[in-house]
Amino acid sequence: MSRQRSLALTGVLAIVAALAVILPSASASAANCVTGWQSSAVYTSGMTASYNGHNWLARWWTQNQAPGTNEVWTDQGTCGGGTTPPPGGNCSYPNWAAGTWYAAGAIVRYTNGQYYIAEHDNPGYDPIISTWYWDPYTCSGTPPSNPPTNPGGFVVSEAAFNQMFPGRNSFYTYQGLIAALSAYPSFATSGSDTVRRQEAAAFLANVNHETGGLVHIVEQNTANYPHYCDAGQPYGCPAGQAAYYGRGPIQLSWNFNYKAAGDALGLPLLTNPWLVQQDASVAWRTGLWYWMTQNGPGTMTAHNAMVNGAGFGQTIRSINGSIECNGGNPAQVQSRVNAYQQFVGILGTTPGANLYC
């Protein structure tokens, strides 16, 4: 090697060495990740969250808008280290695959490392884009190879559910019911263990009667269909005069009930009432909406009747008391009572008092 080339190489090595001293490594310069983004959290201007290996700054109010998918978030650069746990916690559910059918309750791992649970049946919609169909899911520890059959401690296991409804329509899935529970967290979780089991049994017993054992998704008497449009309401019947017939586990009917349920659940039921007969989770949510919030012909909600000790008879009054109670149709009442007594037996508790209305 000539002396000139040797000196040139020495000079290059010196520059490289100097740059190595001056320029920190990429890993050393990355900021620690701040607390991970949560879809349910509300962020206002100036708040930060980490997501997909980056820290993000909220420019204005936002909720359920993932960083990187909306201009509300400003990218603050890559991050690493810190104490923020990986998105979704320690899970072992399968990777999401586009085009694969997912039933409500299915849990998948998305490409960003976050886990998602299907709130509604869907043909493989993207969890980041189709947020109505998917919710973020966080777990801890090492779950079993299959999701638990009794998620969230619901007092009715899948085995008990199948025992209650051996001939049910496949539309009424247990997973759809579990997914719907998040809409009303106090359902079958209030009071003692006995009260919780009694409420679950009471709800399902009334559902059993309304649907013929979870067989019927829609009302069978089609002659009633045009009757359920109250055109005097300011919003009218935009889906058509005959569109608001009974659907779902407690047979939601009338345009004003579809409007009220849709408003409460954040669903477009007034303009698209068919959602109740197309999506199991939506159907179960409408049943829980009525149970938890509506007095009907009674003086209290069915939920309050069970939680406050008024008895199963008052749930009948709240659902169909104007036709069945006070001797109006004792055979219908007895049908509900029989199912309730059977279901509390399956759940290992007693029926309590005041069974009739």
Side-chain angles (χ1 to χ4, degrees), residues 4 39 99 145 151 197 224 228 233 273 281 293:
Q4 289 82 0
S39 66
S145 57
R197 292 171 186 271
N224 285 340
Y228 295 124
Q233 298 294 335
S281 178
T293 69

mmCIF file of all heavy atoms in Angstrom, residues 4 39 99 145 151 197 224 228 233 273 281 293:
data_model
loop_
_atom_site.group_PDB
_atom_site.id
_atom_site.type_symbol
_atom_site.label_atom_id
_atom_site.label_comp_id
_atom_site.label_asym_id
_atom_site.label_seq_id
_atom_site.Cartn_x
_atom_site.Cartn_y
_atom_site.Cartn_z
ATOM 1 N N GLN A 4 0.501 7.398 0.443
ATOM 2 C CA GLN A 4 -0.636 8.307 0.258
ATOM 3 C C GLN A 4 -1.965 7.623 0.598
ATOM 4 O O GLN A 4 -2.826 8.191 1.277
ATOM 5 C CB GLN A 4 -0.660 8.814 -1.198
ATOM 6 C CG GLN A 4 0.450 9.798 -1.551
ATOM 7 C CD GLN A 4 1.757 9.076 -1.876
ATOM 8 O OE1 GLN A 4 1.804 7.822 -1.834
ATOM 9 N NE2 GLN A 4 2.812 9.834 -2.179
ATOM 10 N N SER A 39 -58.252 2.958 23.900
ATOM 11 C CA SER A 39 -59.365 3.479 23.094
ATOM 12 C C SER A 39 -60.457 4.097 23.946
ATOM 13 O O SER A 39 -61.145 5.027 23.515
ATOM 14 C CB SER A 39 -59.953 2.369 22.227
ATOM 15 O OG SER A 39 -60.551 1.374 23.024
ATOM 16 N N GLY A 99 -60.358 -11.537 5.960
ATOM 17 C CA GLY A 99 -61.181 -12.475 5.207
ATOM 18 C C GLY A 99 -61.622 -13.694 5.977
ATOM 19 O O GLY A 99 -62.388 -14.500 5.467
ATOM 20 N N SER A 145 -55.404 -22.182 26.068
ATOM 21 C CA SER A 145 -55.298 -22.195 24.611
ATOM 22 C C SER A 145 -56.583 -21.755 23.950
ATOM 23 O O SER A 145 -56.583 -21.227 22.850
ATOM 24 C CB SER A 145 -54.933 -23.600 24.124
ATOM 25 O OG SER A 145 -55.893 -24.547 24.583
ATOM 26 N N PRO A 151 -66.472 -15.930 30.389
ATOM 27 C CA PRO A 151 -65.674 -14.731 30.507
ATOM 28 C C PRO A 151 -66.276 -13.739 31.487
ATOM 29 O O PRO A 151 -67.491 -13.603 31.600
ATOM 30 C CB PRO A 151 -65.700 -14.144 29.082
ATOM 31 C CG PRO A 151 -66.150 -15.268 28.215
ATOM 32 C CD PRO A 151 -67.014 -16.127 29.060
ATOM 33 N N ARG A 197 -77.611 -14.610 40.351
ATOM 34 C CA ARG A 197 -78.088 -15.783 39.612
ATOM 35 C C ARG A 197 -79.586 -15.691 39.326
ATOM 36 O O ARG A 197 -80.064 -16.087 38.245
ATOM 37 C CB ARG A 197 -77.768 -17.055 40.399
ATOM 38 C CG ARG A 197 -76.268 -17.347 40.478
ATOM 39 C CD ARG A 197 -75.946 -18.478 41.450
ATOM 40 N NE ARG A 197 -74.515 -18.633 41.602
ATOM 41 C CZ ARG A 197 -73.747 -19.416 40.839
ATOM 42 N NH1 ARG A 197 -74.312 -20.142 39.883
ATOM 43 N NH2 ARG A 197 -72.448 -19.477 41.025
ATOM 44 N N ASN A 224 -99.116 -8.026 12.225
ATOM 45 C CA ASN A 224 -98.850 -6.932 13.159
ATOM 46 C C ASN A 224 -97.833 -5.925 12.644
ATOM 47 O O ASN A 224 -97.727 -4.815 13.174
ATOM 48 C CB ASN A 224 -98.319 -7.483 14.490
ATOM 49 C CG ASN A 224 -99.401 -8.110 15.335
ATOM 50 O OD1 ASN A 224 -100.588 -7.835 15.153
ATOM 51 N ND2 ASN A 224 -99.009 -8.976 16.261
ATOM 52 N N TYR A 228 -96.843 -1.248 13.996
ATOM 53 C CA TYR A 228 -95.825 -0.737 14.917
ATOM 54 C C TYR A 228 -95.184 0.573 14.479
ATOM 55 O O TYR A 228 -94.115 0.926 14.964
ATOM 56 C CB TYR A 228 -94.732 -1.794 15.117
ATOM 57 C CG TYR A 228 -95.223 -3.042 15.794
ATOM 58 C CD1 TYR A 228 -95.059 -4.293 15.191
ATOM 59 C CD2 TYR A 228 -95.835 -2.990 17.040
ATOM 60 C CE1 TYR A 228 -95.498 -5.455 15.811
ATOM 61 C CE2 TYR A 228 -96.288 -4.144 17.662
ATOM 62 C CZ TYR A 228 -96.114 -5.367 17.041
ATOM 63 O OH TYR A 228 -96.560 -6.501 17.667
ATOM 64 N N GLN A 233 -94.705 10.480 15.664
ATOM 65 C CA GLN A 233 -93.400 10.855 16.209
ATOM 66 C C GLN A 233 -92.685 11.786 15.238
ATOM 67 O O GLN A 233 -92.812 11.632 14.018
ATOM 68 C CB GLN A 233 -92.547 9.605 16.444
ATOM 69 C CG GLN A 233 -93.127 8.622 17.450
ATOM 70 C CD GLN A 233 -93.178 9.193 18.862
ATOM 71 O OE1 GLN A 233 -92.420 10.088 19.217
ATOM 72 N NE2 GLN A 233 -94.095 8.679 19.662
ATOM 73 N N PRO A 273 -83.442 -0.998 11.418
ATOM 74 C CA PRO A 273 -83.901 -1.930 12.463
ATOM 75 C C PRO A 273 -83.500 -3.373 12.192
ATOM 76 O O PRO A 273 -83.495 -4.200 13.098
ATOM 77 C CB PRO A 273 -85.423 -1.760 12.444
ATOM 78 C CG PRO A 273 -85.745 -1.277 11.069
ATOM 79 C CD PRO A 273 -84.568 -0.416 10.673
ATOM 80 N N SER A 281 -75.004 -9.914 18.764
ATOM 81 C CA SER A 281 -74.662 -9.011 19.847
ATOM 82 C C SER A 281 -75.637 -7.845 19.926
ATOM 83 O O SER A 281 -76.050 -7.427 21.018
ATOM 84 C CB SER A 281 -73.229 -8.489 19.682
ATOM 85 O OG SER A 281 -72.908 -7.572 20.712
ATOM 86 N N THR A 293 -83.543 -0.669 31.519
ATOM 87 C CA THR A 293 -83.936 0.744 31.503
ATOM 88 C C THR A 293 -85.426 1.023 31.375
ATOM 89 O O THR A 293 -85.848 2.163 31.602
ATOM 90 C CB THR A 293 -83.218 1.482 30.356
ATOM 91 O OG1 THR A 293 -83.733 1.023 29.088
ATOM 92 C CG2 THR A 293 -81.710 1.246 30.399
#
